[in-house]
Amino acid sequence: MKRSTSSPKSNLILCLLTFLFLEICLLIISSALENRVLVFIVLFASGWLFWTFVEYSIHRFLMHELILPGKKDELFHHHHHHQNPGDLRVRWFHRLFLGISGIGVFWLAIYLNTSFTLLAGFFIGFLLYNLLHYLLHRPIGKYILPNVQRAHILHHTRYPRCGYSFSTILWDWLFDTLPPKDAKVTAQMKKNYFNQFIKVSNQM
C-alpha cells in the first residue's frame, strides 16, 4: 500500500475498513468450518488479530498522530517512554498476574469453544504484547522478533512515524508504516535504546 499523505482521521478510517474486511473474512471462514479444532484456531486467530490492530491503532493514532484534541501524553506518558526506552511502566508482578489469568482464559476457551474464543484470542494477544514489548527492549528480542525489534528501535530513534506494532509487522507492512528497508540500526542507536545494558551486539 502506498504511504498515505492523508489526514490522520482519513488514515484511521482506511485502516479500520481494511481490518474489518479481514476480520469478517475470518469469521465467515470459521462459520463455514465443521472441524471444531479448526473453528477454535480461526476464532482464536481472529481475536489475536483484533488485539494487534488495536495495539497498532492506539500507538499510531492516539500516541503519535493524535486524532483527538488534548494532551494524550498525560494518559499514556508516551513521550517519557521515547526518552527513556528501558523504563517500562508494566512491572513483573503485572505480567505474572496477566500470565496466570491468560492460562485460565485459554483453558476456558478450549472448554467452551464458542464465540468466547474470540475474547480469549484478544486477551492472550494483550498478554503477549506486554511480554513482547518487554523483550523488544532487551537484546534477546533480536532472536525472537528480529524484524519487529529493528522497526521498534528505528521508531524510538530516527523514524517515530514508523514501526507502530509490537507483536507483528503485519499492520505496519499493510499500511506502509514500516521504516525504510535501507535504514540502518547503528551502534549508537542500540546504545541509547538498550541504555540499561553495557554489552550489545554490533550486528542487527
Side-chain angles (χ1 to χ4, degrees):
M1 186 179 292
K2 187 176 180 180
R3 194 177 296 274
S4 174
T5 57
S6 304
S7 69
K9 287 186 179 180
S10 298
N11 289 336
L12 175 59
I13 291 171
L14 175 62
C15 291
L16 184 59
L17 291 175
T18 303
F19 161 73
L20 288 174
F21 173 77
L22 293 175
E23 194 75 4
I24 289 171
C25 287
L26 283 174
L27 293 177
I28 291 173
I29 290 171
S30 70
S31 66
L33 293 172
E34 296 183 1
N35 185 295
R36 288 177 57 83
V37 174
L38 290 178
V39 170
F40 178 88
I41 292 172
V42 174
L43 285 176
F44 190 86
S46 299
W48 174 81
L49 190 71
F50 188 3
W51 164 256
T52 62
F53 178 75
V54 169
E55 162 194 297
Y56 173 90
S57 300
I58 290 174
H59 192 192
R60 178 177 177 180
F61 296 109
L62 293 183
M63 296 182 183
H64 283 274
E65 295 190 8
L66 305 179
I67 61 169
L68 299 174
K71 297 180 179 179
K72 248 53 85 238
D73 203 47
E74 294 177 0
L75 174 62
F76 296 108
H77 303 286
H78 197 60
H79 182 68
H80 173 82
H81 177 55
H82 268 257
Q83 290 183 326
N84 305 275
D87 185 11
L88 302 177
R89 298 302 175 96
V90 180
R91 305 303 183 193
W92 67 267
F93 49 87
H94 298 134
R95 293 187 178 92
L96 178 62
F97 173 75
L98 288 172
I100 294 171
S101 301
I103 293 171
V105 168
F106 183 75
W107 284 110
L108 183 59
I110 291 176
Y111 175 75
L112 296 174
N113 200 12
T114 61
S115 55
F116 176 78
T117 306
L118 272 171
L119 177 62
F122 184 91
F123 182 76
I124 298 297
F126 170 68
L127 183 157
L128 289 174
Y129 148 76
N130 280 281
L131 175 62
L132 292 174
H133 191 206
Y134 172 84
L135 294 175
L136 290 177
H137 283 274
R138 301 295 185 274
I140 195 175
K142 169 185 175 181
Y143 304 102
I144 300 171
L145 291 171
N147 292 330
V148 180
Q149 189 187 66
R150 174 186 176 274
H152 200 60
I153 293 174
L154 291 168
H155 170 79
H156 269 273
T157 52
R158 293 184 59 196
Y159 300 94
R161 292 299 179 94
C162 295
Y164 295 111
S165 293
F166 304 94
S167 304
T168 173
I169 61 169
L170 171 65
W171 302 112
D172 281 309
W173 170 76
L174 196 58
F175 302 133
D176 197 26
T177 52
L178 280 173
K181 290 183 179 180
D182 58 350
K184 296 187 181 300
V185 176
T186 67
Q188 184 61 45
M189 286 180 183
K190 286 185 277 187
K191 182 179 179 181
N192 295 334
Y193 183 78
F194 299 116
N195 58 11
Q196 69 272 55
F197 296 97
I198 297 175
K199 295 181 179 180
V200 295
S201 169
N202 288 324
Q203 300 294 325
M204 179 63 63

